[in-house]
Amino acid sequence: MQFHREKEGNSLSISSALSKKTITDQATWTRIIVKTAKALAHVHNMGFLHNDLKSNNVVLDKKGGSYEPVIDFGKCVPIRGARGPKVFLDERKKCYTRDFPHIALEIVQGIQGESVASDIFGFAEIAETIFKKSELGRPPHVVLHALNAHPSQRPVLDEIVKSLS
């Protein structure tokens, strides 16, 4: 991401766009959410997990009149190389839950390791943040469903894209 800094106003992170209120209409945000889901699906189809999907790890590259999401791959690993469950002390679990809401609950609780489902949780956290901070109203049901505490209950990205498109 350090090579994709804001240049001449052509790119900024989702987090930055929300705080600066650069984008205000629901149609543009919906397209960004859908394009981000498609990009993540492509990452998964290529055999990788992102492992750190959050609003400041997605840069919006302005091309013409639209924004294209570009995802940071700093913590990306092959799906086959996914790390198993971590064991955190209760105090650290509280800290992670508070400070890193994009990390799936099953990872923080040490129930399960990194997975496609944990990436979907991170994506849904971005989408929910967009709806809340851009004052677009309540996130769609499919986004809320993707935040489910049980990874097996989360929809797959194709379902999310279909529902939002």
Side-chain angles (χ1 to χ4, degrees):
M1 290 308 237
Q2 69 265 30
F3 300 112
H4 207 291
R5 298 258 189 250
E6 291 184 43
K7 292 184 259 182
E8 302 165 21
N10 288 337
S11 66
L12 66 160
S13 69
I14 286 177
S15 179
S16 206
L18 287 167
S19 65
K20 294 177 182 178
K21 300 202 181 292
T22 306
I23 301 166
T24 56
D25 64 290
Q26 185 168 1
T28 300
W29 276 121
T30 300
R31 281 191 298 276
I32 289 167
I33 292 168
V34 168
K35 287 178 180 182
T36 303
K38 287 179 178 180
L40 183 59
H42 179 71
V43 169
H44 291 164
N45 290 336
M46 297 305 294
F48 292 93
L49 296 175
H50 185 276
N51 288 326
D52 196 27
L53 207 54
K54 56 187 177 183
S55 59
N56 63 344
N57 278 349
V58 180
V59 168
L60 302 175
D61 191 19
K62 191 170 185 179
K63 294 187 178 187
S66 67
Y67 290 92
E68 297 296 324
V70 178
I71 301 174
D72 170 357
F73 290 99
K75 295 187 179 179
C76 188
V77 297
I79 290 174
R80 288 189 178 146
R83 296 168 285 236
K86 297 176 185 176
V87 178
F88 294 121
L89 298 173
D90 287 343
E91 189 59 37
R92 188 143 187 210
K93 287 179 188 179
K94 288 178 190 174
C95 172
Y96 265 72
T97 302
R98 181 188 67 236
D99 298 339
F100 306 106
H102 66 283
I103 298 176
L105 302 173
E106 66 272 14
I107 292 175
V108 173
Q109 295 299 320
I111 297 167
Q112 182 177 317
E114 304 159 341
S115 68
V116 168
S118 62
D119 271 0
I120 289 171
F121 183 93
F123 161 79
E125 184 69 32
I126 291 171
E128 182 185 47
T129 298
I130 289 171
F131 273 85
K132 285 181 178 178
K133 290 191 174 183
S134 63
E135 301 172 5
L136 297 177
R138 184 172 165 80
H141 177 73
V142 72
V143 169
L144 298 174
H145 192 60
L147 292 168
N148 194 303
H150 303 285
S152 63
Q153 300 298 311
R154 295 181 195 137
V156 295
L157 287 166
D158 289 343
E159 289 177 40
I160 294 169
V161 169
K162 184 178 178 184
S163 179
L164 294 174
S165 296

